[in-house]
Amino acid sequence: MSRRIVTTLVLLAAFGAGVPEAAASSNPVRLSFDKSASIVGEWEGIVTGDVNGALRTVLLSRKVTGSIWLVEFDWVVTAGESSFVARLSGTLNTATGAVVMNGAVTSGFLLGARVHEEGQLVDAGASRFVGTITIATASGA
């Protein structure tokens, strides 16, 4: 796990800690993410794009219906002035590895904005997911 933390810090230094000016002027705010399991029920990684920073996702609930899991997560983005927490819920298709979730920013940067996430499992052994996050700000609604 310490290797992941060091890797995340190196990547954050390369991409910059946060870019609030870019995110504030973009509508919608678009991010890419790359995350892997750190402990049971949590994933850590990075976000890049209109906001650059560290990512931690925490599984809050899961209901299994065959190959479809109904899930709820908190997404915690640490990016200086652009830091935020979003609560998202949706589906994980365990047959294809596809994830689609929707929700809203519950605290921090862009409070109240709607959030859409699409992800894909790319390494089952590391429980590694990559994908995109789109945040629709109130001015874009």
Side-chain angles (χ1 to χ4, degrees):
M1 185 162 138
S2 63
R3 190 174 116 193
R4 283 193 185 136
I5 292 170
V6 170
T7 301
T8 299
L9 291 174
V10 168
L11 290 170
L12 288 174
F15 289 111
V19 186
E21 296 82 13
S25 65
S26 299
N27 193 12
V29 174
R30 297 182 191 280
L31 309 174
S32 295
F33 69 86
D34 188 329
K35 66 178 185 166
S36 297
S38 55
I39 61 173
V40 174
E42 290 190 20
W43 289 255
E44 293 181 358
I46 62 168
V47 293
T48 58
D50 292 331
V51 172
N52 299 301
L55 170 66
R56 183 170 61 93
T57 61
V58 180
L59 178 65
L60 302 174
S61 67
R62 174 186 72 162
K63 180 179 178 188
V64 177
T65 307
S67 64
I68 304 298
W69 292 7
L70 304 175
V71 293
E72 183 175 41
F73 278 87
D74 272 347
W75 285 64
V76 181
V77 172
T78 304
E81 293 177 8
S82 298
S83 297
F84 66 90
V85 176
R87 172 86 34 106
L88 304 177
S89 60
T91 60
L92 163 62
N93 183 325
T94 60
T96 66
V99 180
V100 177
M101 293 191 288
N102 292 292
V105 175
T106 58
S107 68
F109 184 62
L110 301 173
L111 178 64
R114 305 213 26 90
V115 180
H116 176 74
E117 180 268 350
E118 293 184 24
Q120 181 64 47
L121 178 66
V122 295
D123 180 351
S127 188
R128 179 175 170 223
F129 291 83
V130 298
T132 60
I133 303 168
T134 305
I135 305 172
T137 62
S139 63

